[in-house]
């Protein structure tokens, strides 16, 4: 497929991306010349140029890994395994489903790597859809723009952050204090990425390390539990591991679907390749490394849960499986500490989501198909996609604050969570219709 990119006919995507140029990006005059002073140029066989300023390239291999890592690991791993076990019926089948989900995710990642290394620029699926579906011109771009602009992905985990922070502080969770803390969470993420991209990347990396350490703590504690050192009678979940296996195809398929969504986010580095140092090499290293790390952590965390939590408690725990684990290993007070860890994990996910979605909005602006395109395409005033980040912040805040409590509010949050990234509690997760052809094409569903 690499030759497909190298030896293709003249691509309409270059013309589309050139419609409205941002600072440091393509800018063509009437003679198809390039203005500005970019520092790095790519050229295809037909002579089309795409350029970016080297000063924008601030994402290295480590930051790219944590961009993906933070997007994949939100709050799901602390709850999803209980739903997978309930649907599969046995420990053995549950672990096999996690392996199958990892293989499907790896296939999806291979697709994104092929497109990303062939079209190494900001925009992700926008570029890939434009490259494949060239006519009618701008049709697929407009469809994808609707999907990107109107849905506030970061809102769901901001609300989760509010819930867990309040639980850690032993404050009663109400409608408005939960949303208020969530608003502070997403606003902080917006301001950090909008005013100081380097500090935003450093904070993302730091929170990624915190997530990694928390999961390592769970894994090590699980091995300790296998030795019988825990505060309850040792569960015997690995004897007759396939006992109770479900005969329901629905249960297996739904469990596999849930696992697949636990891996969504492996494409996150593709949205910022124009800001990545040596993007092709970085993507080839960072994406497989992040997926392999997450897959290993997911499997070992599941084993740890089964080592410390009895089957009946796993099924009944729902969203608080990790809380049951910490209580059985460290005592009741450890649950408050876990709430802090989950909140930090949610915040890291919000940072990662708004980082990539802001750049997608910017690329939609550069296509010139939305009102005030130059405003959205700009990197002013802080050499960041500030207005793209602002648009995503605004939509997320509206989704968080505007709907009244009840079924409508829960539906909106669950739809946003299912549609792209984080995981709703497995007991409540049922596939909803997809709005975007891009996700149907490029996500492993």
């Amino acid at each position: 497929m690499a030759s497909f990119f190298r030896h293709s006919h003249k691509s309409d995507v270059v013309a589309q991306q050139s419609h409205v140029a941002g600072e440091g990006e393509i800018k063509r005059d009437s003679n198809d010349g390039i203005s500005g002073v970019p520092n790095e140029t790519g050229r295809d066989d037909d002579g089309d140029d795409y350029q970016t300023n080297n000063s924008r390239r601030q994402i290295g291999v480590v930051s790219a890994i944590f961009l993906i890592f933070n997007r994949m690991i939100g709050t799901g791993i602390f709850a999803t395994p209980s739903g997978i076990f309930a649907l599969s019926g046995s420990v053995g089948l549950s672990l096999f489903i996690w392996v199958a989900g990892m293989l499907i995710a790896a296939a999806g990642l291979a697709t994104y790597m092929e497109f990303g290394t062939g079209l190494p620029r900001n925009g992700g699926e926008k570029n890939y859809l434009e490259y494949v579906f060239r006519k009618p011109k701008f049709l697929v771009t407009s469809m994808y723009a609707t999907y990107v602009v109107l849905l506030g992905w970061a809102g769901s985990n901001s609300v989760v952050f509010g819930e867990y922070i309040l639980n850690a502080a032993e404050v009663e969770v109400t409608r408005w204090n939960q949303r208020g803390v969530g608003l502070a969470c997403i606003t902080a993420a917006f301001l950090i990425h909008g005013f100081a991209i380097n500090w935003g990347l450093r904070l993302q990396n730091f929170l990624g390390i915190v997530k990694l350490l928390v999961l390592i703590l769970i894994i090590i504690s699980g091995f300790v539990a296998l030795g019988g050192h825990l505060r309850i009678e040792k569960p015997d979940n690995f004897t007759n591991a396939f006992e109770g296996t479900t005969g329901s195809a629905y249960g297996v398929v739904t469990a596999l679907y849930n696992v697949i969504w636990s891996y969504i986010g492996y494409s996150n580095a593709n949205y910022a390749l124009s800001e990545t140092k040596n993007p092709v090499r970085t993507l080839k290293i960072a994406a497989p490394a992040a997926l392999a790390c997450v897959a290993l952590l997911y499997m070992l965390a599941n084993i740890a849960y089964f080592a410390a939590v009895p089957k009946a408690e796993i099924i009944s725990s729902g969203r608080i499986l990790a809380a049951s684990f910490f209580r059985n290993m460290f005592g009741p007070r450890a649950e408050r500490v876990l709430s802090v860890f989950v909140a930090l994990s949610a915040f890291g996910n919000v940072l990662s989501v708004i980082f990539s979605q802001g750049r997608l909005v910017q690329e939609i602006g550069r296509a010139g198909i939305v009102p005030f395109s130059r405003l959205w395409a700009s990197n002013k005033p802080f050499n960041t996609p500030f207005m793209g980040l602002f648009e995503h912040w605004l939509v997320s805040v509206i989704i968080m604050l505007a709907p009244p409590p009840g079924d409508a509010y829960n539906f909106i949050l669950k739809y946003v969570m299912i549609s792209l990234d984080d995981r709703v509690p497995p007991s409540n997760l049922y596939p909803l219709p997809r709005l975007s052809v891009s996700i149907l094409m490029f996500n492993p569903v």
Side-chain angles (χ1 to χ4, degrees):
M1 189 172 179
S3 60
F4 171 72
F5 290 107
R6 290 195 299 268
H7 303 294
S8 62
H9 296 292
K10 187 172 183 177
S11 173
D12 288 337
V13 68
V14 176
Q16 292 182 23
Q17 287 188 321
S18 303
H19 191 91
V20 176
E23 293 74 13
E25 290 292 332
I26 304 169
K27 196 169 185 179
R28 296 178 183 272
D29 57 27
S30 58
N31 297 319
D32 203 33
I34 300 176
S35 61
V37 189
N39 295 325
E40 186 165 325
T41 302
R43 183 181 294 273
D44 66 19
D45 291 345
D46 293 312
D48 285 323
D49 292 317
Y50 54 92
Q51 304 185 352
T52 191
N53 195 310
N54 274 342
S55 65
R56 296 185 66 221
R57 297 192 182 275
Q58 303 183 48
I59 302 173
V61 173
V62 173
S63 292
I65 289 174
F66 280 116
L67 270 176
I68 300 169
F69 185 87
N70 276 318
R71 187 67 172 263
M72 281 197 285
I73 299 182
T75 58
I77 189 57
F78 302 109
T80 300
S82 62
I84 305 303
F85 175 71
L87 289 165
S88 62
S90 68
V91 172
L93 181 58
S94 176
L95 294 177
F96 269 107
I97 289 173
W98 279 96
V99 173
M102 179 269 294
L103 295 176
I104 294 172
L109 175 63
T111 302
Y112 271 93
M113 287 182 63
E114 191 70 41
F115 277 103
T117 54
L119 298 168
R121 60 195 75 166
N122 281 12
E125 296 97 346
K126 171 187 172 292
N127 299 327
Y128 315 149
L129 288 166
E130 288 173 341
Y131 197 91
V132 174
F133 301 105
R134 304 184 188 187
K135 295 180 181 179
K137 198 171 184 179
F138 295 117
L139 174 62
V140 72
T141 308
S142 300
M143 295 172 63
Y144 187 65
T146 303
Y147 158 78
V148 169
V149 171
L150 296 182
L151 294 179
W153 308 116
S156 55
N157 258 329
S158 299
V159 174
V160 171
F161 174 86
E163 176 186 352
Y164 279 96
I165 281 293
L166 292 170
N167 285 335
E170 296 185 325
V171 175
E172 181 183 359
V173 179
T174 66
R175 170 188 176 185
W176 289 113
N177 66 6
Q178 181 184 18
R179 297 187 191 188
V181 177
L183 175 62
C185 169
I186 194 170
T187 301
F190 159 57
L191 294 176
I192 290 169
H193 282 317
F195 286 95
I197 183 174
N198 282 333
W199 284 104
L201 290 172
R202 290 181 185 126
L203 181 57
Q204 281 187 181
N205 294 349
F206 171 74
L207 291 175
I209 292 171
V210 171
K211 291 183 187 182
L212 180 63
L213 293 176
V214 170
L215 287 172
I216 289 175
L217 173 63
I218 290 174
I219 290 165
I220 293 175
S221 301
F223 282 107
V224 172
L226 286 174
H229 302 285
L230 62 168
R231 293 175 178 263
I232 63 171
E233 184 179 350
K234 179 183 177 182
D236 194 19
N237 292 335
F238 294 103
T239 301
N240 297 324
F242 288 92
E243 181 182 2
T245 297
T246 182
S248 167
Y250 168 81
V252 173
V253 171
T254 305
L256 181 59
Y257 184 90
N258 292 5
V259 170
I260 291 170
W261 284 116
S262 293
Y263 282 101
I264 292 301
Y266 49 71
S267 62
N268 208 38
N270 291 60
Y271 303 124
L273 290 177
S274 293
E275 300 170 56
T276 302
K277 302 171 185 175
N278 197 347
V280 173
R281 175 182 175 274
T282 298
L283 186 62
K284 286 181 177 180
I285 296 172
L291 180 62
C293 180
V294 170
L296 180 63
L297 291 171
Y298 277 179
M299 285 301 299
L300 293 178
N302 272 273
I303 292 172
Y305 291 144
F306 288 128
V309 185
K311 292 180 181 179
E313 190 175 349
I314 292 174
I315 294 174
S316 63
S317 62
R319 293 183 64 178
I320 54 172
L321 174 59
S324 298
F325 176 87
F326 270 67
R327 182 174 58 250
N328 293 349
M329 292 300 303
F330 306 110
R333 293 185 179 180
E335 293 186 50
R336 290 182 61 191
V337 177
L338 174 69
S339 293
V340 175
F341 289 157
V342 175
L344 290 175
S345 183
F347 183 47
N349 184 268
V350 170
L351 282 166
S352 182
V353 169
I354 198 170
F355 179 91
S356 58
Q357 294 300 116
R359 280 149 180 80
L360 282 176
V361 173
Q362 184 183 55
E363 292 304 312
I364 296 299
R366 285 176 178 156
I369 60 171
V370 292
F372 311 108
S373 291
R374 291 188 180 277
L375 177 67
W376 307 118
S378 175
N379 277 322
K380 295 179 180 178
F382 305 108
N383 199 29
T384 64
F386 187 85
M387 292 307 299
L389 294 167
F390 172 77
E391 189 280 335
H392 187 71
W393 172 85
L394 181 63
V395 173
S396 297
V397 169
I398 291 172
I399 288 177
M400 288 169 53
L401 300 182
D407 291 340
Y409 180 72
N410 292 332
F411 171 80
I412 291 172
L413 283 187
K414 289 175 185 177
Y415 180 80
V416 169
M417 295 165 91
I418 291 171
S419 292
L420 181 66
D421 180 76
D422 215 325
R423 290 101 263 176
V424 294
S427 60
N428 295 328
L429 192 149
Y430 295 96
L432 295 178
R434 306 306 306 265
L435 290 181
S436 172
V437 65
S438 63
I439 296 299
L440 291 175
M441 286 188 55
F442 296 109
N443 273 355
V445 178

